[in-house]
Amino acid sequence: MSHEQLYSTFALGEHYFGVDVNKVQEIIRYQNMTPVPLAEHVIRGLINLRGQIVTAMDLRRRMEMDDLPEGKKSMNVVIRTDDGAISLLVDEIGDVISVDDQTFEECPETLKGVARDLIKGAYKLENKLLLILDTQKVCQLNTVQ
Amino acid sequence: MDDIVKEFLVESNENLDQMDRNFVELEKDPTNKELLSAIFRTIHTIKGTCGFLGFGKLESVAHVGESLLSKLRDGSLTLNPDFTTILLTMVDAVRQMLSSIESSGAEGDVDYSLLVENLNKAQRGEPLNLSDSAKPEAKPEVKPEVKVTPQESAPEVKAEVKPEIKPEVIEAKVEVKTEIVPEVPPPVVKMEEVKIEVPKAPEKPAEPVKAPEPVKAAEPVKAAEPVKTPEPAKASGPAPTPSPSPSRGEAKAGSSVADTAIRVDVGLLDKLMNLVGELVLARNQILQFTAKQEDSTFVAASQRLNLITSELQEGVMKTRMQPIGNIWSKFPRVVRDLATICKKKIRLQMEGQETELDKTIIEAIKDPLTHLVRNSVDHGIEMPEERAAKGKSEEGVILLRAYHEGGQVNIEISDNGGGISPEKVKQKALQKGLITAEDAARMSDRLLVNLIFLPGFSTAEKVSNISGRGVGMDVVKTNIEKIGGMVDIQSNPGEGTTIKVKIPLTLAIIPALIVTSGGWKYAIPQASLLELVRVENEPGKKKIENIQGAPVYRLRGKLLPLVYLREQLGDFTKPNEENVNIVVLQADDRHFGLVVDEINDTQEIVVKPVGKQLKGVPTFAGATIMGDGHVALILDIMGIAQRANLVSELHDHAIQDMNSTQVKSSDVKSMLLFASRDNGRMAVNLSEVARLEKFDNKEIERAGDQEVIQYRGEIMSLIRVSSVIPERRRVPRDAEAIIKNVGDSIQVVVYSQNGKNVGIVIDKVLDIVETDEAIQESGSRKGIAGTVVIQERITEILDIPRAIDLYHQKIHLNKTEEPLAKEESYVS
C-alpha cells in the first residue's frame, strides 16, 4: 500500500526542496520588498500581495546558507500558515511532483545544525533527493532573545 | 445551539444589565413603581422564556425572585438594602446560569437552594402573605423616560407553556395603551452584534418585521434598544390571561423604533470595513495618478470618487460606533457592590455617555476602565468617618467623563477622595527597588505619581480581594497603550485623583504623516503628532545643540530632546544634511523631536497587521500600503520613545564614542579590531575587508596542507593569522593545536585579491572603530604594517597581502619537507 504525495518543489543552492502542495498559496516572481529595520536577519522585508501584507523570509538565510549572489533575484513561494501567509524566498521554482510514500526516509543522524530541525526527511528520487521542509518550524523564529 | 436559545441569551444579558442600573436607582428611590415594574418585567420575561426552553433551575430561581419583586411592587413590602442585596445575588445567579448555558448548553451544577431559601424568607418575613404572588397583576403604565429596557417577551404562545407564564410586555405608542402583542423570540441574530439606528421618524406605526411562523403563532416584534434616539413613550400592558393562540391580527403594534433599527452581524461590518479600507487605498492610488493627468473629465471623476469614498468611509465607520455608555452601564452596580463591601458611601456620576467609539476599542477598554473604577472605590474614596473628619461630605463622588478632543476620545475617571501622596509612592517604589534613590530625588511629584503604573507596584497596605495585588495598573496601561491610547494620572493629595485616558476613535483607518528615512517611507500616526519644525542651517548659527551627546533643539525657548529616526532604525551613517526636519511628537507626557530625512505629506492610511515574525520589533505598530503599491511601516511612537530613552541611559559611552567621531579629520580610517592569540590587539583596515563571515568548523576541508572552505561556489583558502604571524611572546606554540580548542565555528575576514577570495581566520572580532591616529611604522614583525593606538591600547595593523605571501611561503616550505614547527625561523 503506497500513497502518492504531491509536493511543490524548488531549488535552493544545490539542494532540491519540496513543500506540501496544499500549504502553498501561490508562487510569484521576485517582488519589491520594503525592508524592516531591526527585524531578524532572515526577514528580508514586506511584500504587497494584492493588498495583503506578507512577510518575506529568506530561506537561504533561514537554512544558514550564503546569500544568493548579487544580481540574482529570488522567487516567492507563498505558503499558508495559521498566522496568515508568509513568503519564502527561494532560488528557482521546480514542478509539482508526485512521489511515492515508500521512498521517504527520515533525516540521518549526521545532519547538522538548523537543517536537522527544519527538514522532515527526504524522498529518494531517481537521481536526487527531495528534501521536505517542515514549514511550520521554518516560519517559527526563535523570538527568545 | 438553537437560535432561540442564543437569542434568549442575548436578550436576557441586555435586560440584566439594564436591571442592574435600575436596582441602583431604585435604592435611591425605593418606592419608584416604574423601576420596580421594569425590574419585575425583566425577571418575569426571563422566567417565562426559560420555562419554555426547559431550563428548570433557572426558572425556579427567577420564580422566587419574581415573587419577592411582585410584593415589593404591590407595596406589601418595602425595599431595603437587604432586599436589594438578595435580589442582586439572584441576578448574579441568573447571569451565572446564562453564561453556563452559553458555554455548555446546560445550567451548570451550582446549588442555588440557599439563595432560593433566602428569597423565600424575605417574602415570608412579612405579614401579607400572598401565596399566588407568582401571578402578577400588572397594570398598564405609561413610561415617560427615554431609557427603557428592551422588552423581550416570552413566547407564551406555545401549547406547553407553563401556567405562570404571563402576559407579555409590549411596547406601543402612547395612545394605544393596552394593546397586547404576544411576542415570539425575535429574528435570529448572532451573539455578537451591534445595533444600527436608521434615522427615521419614530412615530410611524410598526410593521411586522417578519412573516409569522405557523408553530409559534406570533409576530416577532422586537423592542427598540435603549439607544439614544428619541423614543415614543411606551405603554406596556400584560395580557390578562395567557392565550395559547392569540389572533394574529393583534400583533400589529410594536415600537416604531424597532422599525428604524436593525441588528447586523459584527463580522459583516468588519468585512465592510476591510473593503472600505481597500477602497481607500485604491482611491489614494488613483489620486496619485490623477495628479499627473490633464484630462479634466477624468480629474473631475476621480475627485468625485474621492469625495464618495470619504463619505462611505465615514458612514461605515459610524456603523461600528457605539456609545461608551454601553460599557459604563455596568459601573453603577460595580460601584454599589464594592462600596457596600468597603462600607463606603459613593455616588457615581457620568457625563458624556453618548460619546461614541469604535466597537473594537470599546471592547478593549472595558476591562481597564473597570479596573480604574474599582481602584477609585477601593483606594480613592476614604471611609465616611475619615471624610467627615476632613470636613468633606461623607458621600464620595466618582465622576466618569467622556468627550471628544482633537480626533481622540478622552475618558476621565476622577474621585474626590484622598488623592495619592507622591511621598508615599516614592517610599514604596524605593522599597520595592523599582527606582533608585537618585532617580527619586530628581523626579517631580507628577512623575512620582505616575510610578503607580510600574509593574509590581501597589501602595495598598493590605491586599484586599478588590485590588492591591500590584498587577493592575501596569496591565491597564499596557492594554490602553496597545490600542494606541495613553493614560495619565493627576492627583492632589487630600482633594482627589483624576485619571485621564486618551484613546483613538478608531483603529482601522488613521490619518498619518508620511516621512522618509534612509530612502524608505514610514508613517507616523497623527494622534501623536504635535508640530513640524524645519531648521534651516545658517552658517555660524548652530541650532542643534548637544548635552553630553544628547542632541537637543531650542523650541520656543524650551529644550526639545531629539531622536534621529535613522539611528533608531539601526542606521548610524549620518547624512550631512543642510536642513533638519523635526517631527515634534508626544509620547506619554514627554515631547520629543524625531529627526527624519524628509517630510512627505499626510494621508489616510489603512492599518494592516504584520506577521508574527515581526512582533518582536517594538519600533513598528504595523504596516500599510502606499498609493504607489509599496509597503510602508507604521512607526510606534511609544516604542521609539522607550527605545531612545533606554539607549540614552544605558549606552552613555556609545554616545560619547559618537561624539568623538564628530571631530573627524579628513584621514579617518575605519578599522576592524580583533583579538590576537596572545591577548594582544590587531586590526585591519576595514576598506580591505570584503566581508565578515562565520563558518562552522565542520565545513573546513583540506586540500593538501591547506585549509579550504567552499565559499560562494569557489574554493577559498583559509589563513590563520596565528600561523603566519608569530606570537609576540616568542615562545613558539603549536598554534593549530590551540585552535582546535577554540570552539566549533571560526570567524573569517574575507579578503579579495585579484578577484580571488582569501579567508583570514581570526579569533574574535572586538569592534569596528574609527581612528585618525597615524600608523607608526614598525619593522619588527613580518606581516605587520605598523602599530597604532586604538582605545588606549597598542594595536597592530595586519598587512594582509604580506600575510598571504608569508602563508604561501610557508606552504611552499612545507612542501619541501620543512617542518611546520619551524615558525620561529620566519621571525627576523
Side-chain angles (χ1 to χ4, degrees), chain B residues 135 156-157 161-168 239-246:
Chain B
K135 294 191 176 174
E156 83 286 20
V157 285
V161 157
K162 308 236 159 128
E164 71 268 34
I165 291 184
K166 271 289 139 180
E168 277 323 308
T241 46
S243 74
S245 54

Side-chain angles (χ1 to χ4, degrees), chain A residues 10 19 23-28 31 33 40 42-49 52-59 62 75-90 133-141, chain B residues 609-615:
Chain A
F10 53 85
V19 288
K23 292 217 170 99
V24 178
Q25 180 182 313
E26 59 190 297
I27 286 167
I28 43 173
Q31 300 283 308
M33 284 177 282
E40 287 187 57
V42 296
I43 303 295
R44 269 306 182 89
L46 299 173
I47 295 174
N48 171 11
L49 185 65
Q52 190 191 2
I53 292 177
V54 175
T55 312
M57 184 189 284
D58 190 326
L59 201 55
R62 185 75 181 99
M75 301 283 282
N76 291 275
V77 178
V78 183
I79 57 169
R80 295 189 198 97
T81 71
D82 296 341
D83 308 284
I86 181 163
S87 170
L88 300 180
L89 302 182
V90 303
L133 274 185
D134 186 337
T135 48
Q136 205 185 335
K137 280 192 183 150
V138 168
C139 299
Q140 215 164 47
L141 295 180
Chain B
V610 288
K612 61 165 182 177
Q613 289 84 4
L614 300 177
K615 286 278 149 66

Side-chain angles (χ1 to χ4, degrees), chain A residues 32-40 43 46-48 51-53 55 57 66-67 83 86 112 139-141, chain B residues 278 520 522 568-570 608-614 617 619-620 623-625 629-631 633 643 698 711-712:
Chain A
N32 279 327
M33 284 177 282
T34 302
V36 185
L38 313 173
E40 287 187 57
I43 303 295
L46 299 173
I47 295 174
N48 171 11
Q52 190 191 2
I53 292 177
T55 312
M57 184 189 284
D66 298 323
D67 284 358
D83 308 284
I86 181 163
K112 61 180 164 41
C139 299
Q140 215 164 47
L141 295 180
Chain B
E278 296 298 325
W520 294 95
Y522 296 94
Q568 290 308 310
L569 301 177
K608 302 229 169 203
V610 288
K612 61 165 182 177
Q613 289 84 4
L614 300 177
V617 188
T619 318
F620 305 115
T624 187
I625 296 173
H630 271 104
V631 177
L633 289 155
R643 214 178 116 86
K698 294 174 203 149
Y711 181 66
R712 298 189 166 194

